[in-house]
Amino acid sequence: MTPEAPEASGAGHPAGLFITFEGGDGVGKTTQSALLEEWLAARGRTVVRTREPGGSEVGVLIRDIVLHHRGEVTPRAEALLYAADRAHHIETVVRPALERGDVVIQDRYLDSSVAYQGAGRVLGREEVRDLSLWATGHLLPDLTVLLDLDPSAARKRLDADDKPFDRLESEQSAFHDSVRTEYLALADAEPDRFLVLDASRVAADLATDIQGRVQSILDADAADGAVGSAD
Ligand code: TYD
């Protein structure tokens, strides 16, 4: 893999805005994605809501293997399956949307791979991150919202849902604890990209905080545009 600098947030990638939601299973990512979509749409933005794994036709097939295959999936194979899903999804869905100037709101991206495949299992976080960066042509989000919650509280929410657990949800609690720890370390390492929120708070309050952060990114973009057009 050729070491290239990741595409810095905002720089390099086209007009749109790329926002990802991260966190353990059951922390409320879907609820917050939906609320943010509604808020942005009300402000006249075109929003593409998507997810990994499974945000493309090929991805749906890969999702079925990684989440529902009953036998063993070796760690490297698992990392490659998520990376394959991501490569196809970014090229066919996300980049075209960003090029049109849309806002992409995505449930899970490369930080999920680092947290789950890198920290939770036997692979090193650097190699997992590099694999995803290679797969996506080094695309990083403008904003990553990390919904942080104690895995035992998240588990209670999942139990209340009454859906059967997938392969990763069925992992032991030590696995989910290390996923959480890894996410927090990722956020510490890139404070400009991450917004970390306590997901045990009321959904409407979380939504307000997320909107505030997105608004400041939009304001900064607008100011940049104004500077650019004055030239
Ligand atoms: P998700 O779609 O959030 O599950 P659900 O729709 O059932 O809530 O994520 C599926 C699982 O895949 C989740 O346990 C995390 C895991 N995952 C990884 O291990 N690595 C990855 O790169 C991604 C994107 C997800």
PDB file of all heavy atoms in Angstrom, residues 13 21 23 38 56 72 82 95 103 109 111 145 184-185 187 198 204 209 222 228:
ATOM      1  N   HIS A  13     -11.890  16.835  -0.788  1.00  0.00           N
ATOM      2  CA  HIS A  13     -13.131  16.277  -1.314  1.00  0.00           C
ATOM      3  C   HIS A  13     -14.092  17.386  -1.669  1.00  0.00           C
ATOM      4  O   HIS A  13     -14.078  18.464  -1.114  1.00  0.00           O
ATOM      5  CB  HIS A  13     -13.673  15.139  -0.445  1.00  0.00           C
ATOM      6  CG  HIS A  13     -14.552  15.525   0.688  1.00  0.00           C
ATOM      7  ND1 HIS A  13     -15.731  16.181   0.518  1.00  0.00           N
ATOM      8  CD2 HIS A  13     -14.430  15.313   2.000  1.00  0.00           C
ATOM      9  CE1 HIS A  13     -16.292  16.353   1.693  1.00  0.00           C
ATOM     10  NE2 HIS A  13     -15.518  15.847   2.600  1.00  0.00           N
ATOM     11  N   PHE A  21     -21.645   8.651  11.772  1.00  0.00           N
ATOM     12  CA  PHE A  21     -22.037   8.357  13.156  1.00  0.00           C
ATOM     13  C   PHE A  21     -21.361   7.070  13.580  1.00  0.00           C
ATOM     14  O   PHE A  21     -21.373   6.078  12.833  1.00  0.00           O
ATOM     15  CB  PHE A  21     -23.560   8.190  13.269  1.00  0.00           C
ATOM     16  CG  PHE A  21     -24.281   9.499  13.346  1.00  0.00           C
ATOM     17  CD1 PHE A  21     -24.635  10.183  12.191  1.00  0.00           C
ATOM     18  CD2 PHE A  21     -24.582  10.070  14.577  1.00  0.00           C
ATOM     19  CE1 PHE A  21     -25.282  11.413  12.255  1.00  0.00           C
ATOM     20  CE2 PHE A  21     -25.226  11.298  14.654  1.00  0.00           C
ATOM     21  CZ  PHE A  21     -25.574  11.969  13.494  1.00  0.00           C
ATOM     22  N   GLY A  23     -20.215   4.436  17.154  1.00  0.00           N
ATOM     23  CA  GLY A  23     -20.522   4.042  18.532  1.00  0.00           C
ATOM     24  C   GLY A  23     -20.885   2.573  18.545  1.00  0.00           C
ATOM     25  O   GLY A  23     -21.072   1.958  17.490  1.00  0.00           O
ATOM     26  N   GLU A  38     -33.486  15.271   8.957  1.00  0.00           N
ATOM     27  CA  GLU A  38     -34.675  16.140   8.981  1.00  0.00           C
ATOM     28  C   GLU A  38     -34.263  17.623   9.104  1.00  0.00           C
ATOM     29  O   GLU A  38     -34.768  18.479   8.377  1.00  0.00           O
ATOM     30  CB  GLU A  38     -35.461  15.776  10.243  1.00  0.00           C
ATOM     31  CG  GLU A  38     -36.954  15.706  10.100  1.00  0.00           C
ATOM     32  CD  GLU A  38     -37.530  15.179  11.411  1.00  0.00           C
ATOM     33  OE1 GLU A  38     -37.779  16.008  12.308  1.00  0.00           O
ATOM     34  OE2 GLU A  38     -37.689  13.954  11.554  1.00  0.00           O
ATOM     35  N   SER A  56     -24.703  -0.442  -0.457  1.00  0.00           N
ATOM     36  CA  SER A  56     -24.789  -0.598  -1.917  1.00  0.00           C
ATOM     37  C   SER A  56     -25.313  -2.012  -2.181  1.00  0.00           C
ATOM     38  O   SER A  56     -25.405  -2.821  -1.256  1.00  0.00           O
ATOM     39  CB  SER A  56     -23.397  -0.448  -2.549  1.00  0.00           C
ATOM     40  OG  SER A  56     -22.573  -1.537  -2.138  1.00  0.00           O
ATOM     41  N   GLU A  72     -16.946 -19.893  11.026  1.00  0.00           N
ATOM     42  CA  GLU A  72     -15.867 -18.968  11.341  1.00  0.00           C
ATOM     43  C   GLU A  72     -15.621 -17.999  10.176  1.00  0.00           C
ATOM     44  O   GLU A  72     -15.755 -18.384   9.015  1.00  0.00           O
ATOM     45  CB  GLU A  72     -14.587 -19.792  11.582  1.00  0.00           C
ATOM     46  CG  GLU A  72     -13.439 -18.943  12.069  1.00  0.00           C
ATOM     47  CD  GLU A  72     -12.081 -19.644  11.954  1.00  0.00           C
ATOM     48  OE1 GLU A  72     -12.005 -20.742  11.351  1.00  0.00           O
ATOM     49  OE2 GLU A  72     -11.096 -19.052  12.440  1.00  0.00           O
ATOM     50  N   TYR A  82     -15.224  -6.040   5.232  1.00  0.00           N
ATOM     51  CA  TYR A  82     -15.686  -4.678   5.533  1.00  0.00           C
ATOM     52  C   TYR A  82     -15.019  -3.663   4.600  1.00  0.00           C
ATOM     53  O   TYR A  82     -15.653  -2.703   4.157  1.00  0.00           O
ATOM     54  CB  TYR A  82     -15.393  -4.307   6.992  1.00  0.00           C
ATOM     55  CG  TYR A  82     -16.369  -4.909   7.975  1.00  0.00           C
ATOM     56  CD1 TYR A  82     -15.973  -5.891   8.873  1.00  0.00           C
ATOM     57  CD2 TYR A  82     -17.699  -4.498   8.008  1.00  0.00           C
ATOM     58  CE1 TYR A  82     -16.866  -6.450   9.788  1.00  0.00           C
ATOM     59  CE2 TYR A  82     -18.598  -5.048   8.912  1.00  0.00           C
ATOM     60  CZ  TYR A  82     -18.169  -6.023   9.794  1.00  0.00           C
ATOM     61  OH  TYR A  82     -19.070  -6.559  10.680  1.00  0.00           O
ATOM     62  N   ARG A  95     -18.899   9.239  -2.899  1.00  0.00           N
ATOM     63  CA  ARG A  95     -18.198  10.284  -3.673  1.00  0.00           C
ATOM     64  C   ARG A  95     -19.119  10.970  -4.686  1.00  0.00           C
ATOM     65  O   ARG A  95     -19.100  12.201  -4.784  1.00  0.00           O
ATOM     66  CB  ARG A  95     -16.958   9.717  -4.362  1.00  0.00           C
ATOM     67  CG  ARG A  95     -15.768   9.592  -3.426  1.00  0.00           C
ATOM     68  CD  ARG A  95     -14.491   9.359  -4.218  1.00  0.00           C
ATOM     69  NE  ARG A  95     -13.398   9.029  -3.343  1.00  0.00           N
ATOM     70  CZ  ARG A  95     -12.592   9.930  -2.768  1.00  0.00           C
ATOM     71  NH1 ARG A  95     -12.773  11.217  -2.994  1.00  0.00           N
ATOM     72  NH2 ARG A  95     -11.612   9.549  -1.979  1.00  0.00           N
ATOM     73  N   VAL A 103     -25.221  16.422   1.273  1.00  0.00           N
ATOM     74  CA  VAL A 103     -24.692  16.019   2.577  1.00  0.00           C
ATOM     75  C   VAL A 103     -24.873  14.513   2.694  1.00  0.00           C
ATOM     76  O   VAL A 103     -25.975  13.996   2.490  1.00  0.00           O
ATOM     77  CB  VAL A 103     -25.447  16.711   3.737  1.00  0.00           C
ATOM     78  CG1 VAL A 103     -24.854  16.261   5.076  1.00  0.00           C
ATOM     79  CG2 VAL A 103     -25.386  18.222   3.608  1.00  0.00           C
ATOM     80  N   TYR A 109     -18.337   4.005   9.633  1.00  0.00           N
ATOM     81  CA  TYR A 109     -17.330   4.128   8.562  1.00  0.00           C
ATOM     82  C   TYR A 109     -16.026   3.529   9.091  1.00  0.00           C
ATOM     83  O   TYR A 109     -16.061   2.610   9.921  1.00  0.00           O
ATOM     84  CB  TYR A 109     -17.208   5.612   8.169  1.00  0.00           C
ATOM     85  CG  TYR A 109     -16.344   5.889   6.970  1.00  0.00           C
ATOM     86  CD1 TYR A 109     -16.458   5.130   5.801  1.00  0.00           C
ATOM     87  CD2 TYR A 109     -15.401   6.913   6.993  1.00  0.00           C
ATOM     88  CE1 TYR A 109     -15.651   5.403   4.698  1.00  0.00           C
ATOM     89  CE2 TYR A 109     -14.603   7.192   5.887  1.00  0.00           C
ATOM     90  CZ  TYR A 109     -14.736   6.424   4.752  1.00  0.00           C
ATOM     91  OH  TYR A 109     -13.937   6.686   3.664  1.00  0.00           O
ATOM     92  N   ASP A 111     -13.842   4.176  11.252  1.00  0.00           N
ATOM     93  CA  ASP A 111     -13.587   4.062  12.694  1.00  0.00           C
ATOM     94  C   ASP A 111     -14.215   2.789  13.266  1.00  0.00           C
ATOM     95  O   ASP A 111     -13.696   2.225  14.229  1.00  0.00           O
ATOM     96  CB  ASP A 111     -14.131   5.301  13.416  1.00  0.00           C
ATOM     97  CG  ASP A 111     -13.491   6.576  12.874  1.00  0.00           C
ATOM     98  OD1 ASP A 111     -12.260   6.699  12.962  1.00  0.00           O
ATOM     99  OD2 ASP A 111     -14.225   7.423  12.309  1.00  0.00           O
ATOM    100  N   VAL A 145     -19.535  11.859  14.556  1.00  0.00           N
ATOM    101  CA  VAL A 145     -20.218  11.960  15.844  1.00  0.00           C
ATOM    102  C   VAL A 145     -20.088  10.611  16.543  1.00  0.00           C
ATOM    103  O   VAL A 145     -20.578   9.600  16.039  1.00  0.00           O
ATOM    104  CB  VAL A 145     -21.712  12.320  15.661  1.00  0.00           C
ATOM    105  CG1 VAL A 145     -22.396  12.413  17.022  1.00  0.00           C
ATOM    106  CG2 VAL A 145     -21.872  13.619  14.868  1.00  0.00           C
ATOM    107  N   LEU A 184     -12.954   5.862  22.000  1.00  0.00           N
ATOM    108  CA  LEU A 184     -12.596   7.077  22.744  1.00  0.00           C
ATOM    109  C   LEU A 184     -11.158   7.485  22.438  1.00  0.00           C
ATOM    110  O   LEU A 184     -10.853   8.677  22.318  1.00  0.00           O
ATOM    111  CB  LEU A 184     -12.821   6.863  24.251  1.00  0.00           C
ATOM    112  CG  LEU A 184     -14.308   6.754  24.636  1.00  0.00           C
ATOM    113  CD1 LEU A 184     -14.477   6.303  26.095  1.00  0.00           C
ATOM    114  CD2 LEU A 184     -15.046   8.087  24.420  1.00  0.00           C
ATOM    115  N   ALA A 185     -10.283   6.498  22.237  1.00  0.00           N
ATOM    116  CA  ALA A 185      -8.890   6.813  21.891  1.00  0.00           C
ATOM    117  C   ALA A 185      -8.823   7.445  20.499  1.00  0.00           C
ATOM    118  O   ALA A 185      -8.066   8.397  20.258  1.00  0.00           O
ATOM    119  CB  ALA A 185      -8.041   5.543  21.952  1.00  0.00           C
ATOM    120  N   ALA A 187     -11.131   9.225  19.094  1.00  0.00           N
ATOM    121  CA  ALA A 187     -11.656  10.590  19.208  1.00  0.00           C
ATOM    122  C   ALA A 187     -10.617  11.521  19.831  1.00  0.00           C
ATOM    123  O   ALA A 187     -10.458  12.670  19.408  1.00  0.00           O
ATOM    124  CB  ALA A 187     -12.938  10.581  20.033  1.00  0.00           C
ATOM    125  N   ASP A 198     -22.333  12.018  25.209  1.00  0.00           N
ATOM    126  CA  ASP A 198     -22.797  10.997  26.144  1.00  0.00           C
ATOM    127  C   ASP A 198     -24.191  10.538  25.684  1.00  0.00           C
ATOM    128  O   ASP A 198     -25.179  11.257  25.825  1.00  0.00           O
ATOM    129  CB  ASP A 198     -22.845  11.634  27.545  1.00  0.00           C
ATOM    130  CG  ASP A 198     -23.541  10.750  28.557  1.00  0.00           C
ATOM    131  OD1 ASP A 198     -24.004   9.648  28.190  1.00  0.00           O
ATOM    132  OD2 ASP A 198     -23.628  11.179  29.724  1.00  0.00           O
ATOM    133  N   ALA A 204     -33.318  14.464  22.089  1.00  0.00           N
ATOM    134  CA  ALA A 204     -33.511  15.818  21.535  1.00  0.00           C
ATOM    135  C   ALA A 204     -32.325  16.725  21.892  1.00  0.00           C
ATOM    136  O   ALA A 204     -31.908  17.576  21.092  1.00  0.00           O
ATOM    137  CB  ALA A 204     -34.813  16.414  22.061  1.00  0.00           C
ATOM    138  N   ASP A 209     -27.034  19.427  20.091  1.00  0.00           N
ATOM    139  CA  ASP A 209     -25.564  19.561  20.090  1.00  0.00           C
ATOM    140  C   ASP A 209     -24.987  19.236  18.706  1.00  0.00           C
ATOM    141  O   ASP A 209     -24.071  19.912  18.232  1.00  0.00           O
ATOM    142  CB  ASP A 209     -24.932  18.603  21.110  1.00  0.00           C
ATOM    143  CG  ASP A 209     -25.126  19.099  22.532  1.00  0.00           C
ATOM    144  OD1 ASP A 209     -25.776  20.157  22.707  1.00  0.00           O
ATOM    145  OD2 ASP A 209     -24.638  18.435  23.464  1.00  0.00           O
ATOM    146  N   ALA A 222     -19.216  28.463   4.362  1.00  0.00           N
ATOM    147  CA  ALA A 222     -19.798  29.636   3.695  1.00  0.00           C
ATOM    148  C   ALA A 222     -18.788  30.792   3.711  1.00  0.00           C
ATOM    149  O   ALA A 222     -18.606  31.500   2.722  1.00  0.00           O
ATOM    150  CB  ALA A 222     -21.094  30.047   4.385  1.00  0.00           C
ATOM    151  N   GLY A 228     -13.305  33.001  -1.151  1.00  0.00           N
ATOM    152  CA  GLY A 228     -12.928  32.535  -2.498  1.00  0.00           C
ATOM    153  C   GLY A 228     -13.532  33.393  -3.587  1.00  0.00           C
ATOM    154  O   GLY A 228     -12.846  33.804  -4.517  1.00  0.00           O
TER     155      GLY A 228
END
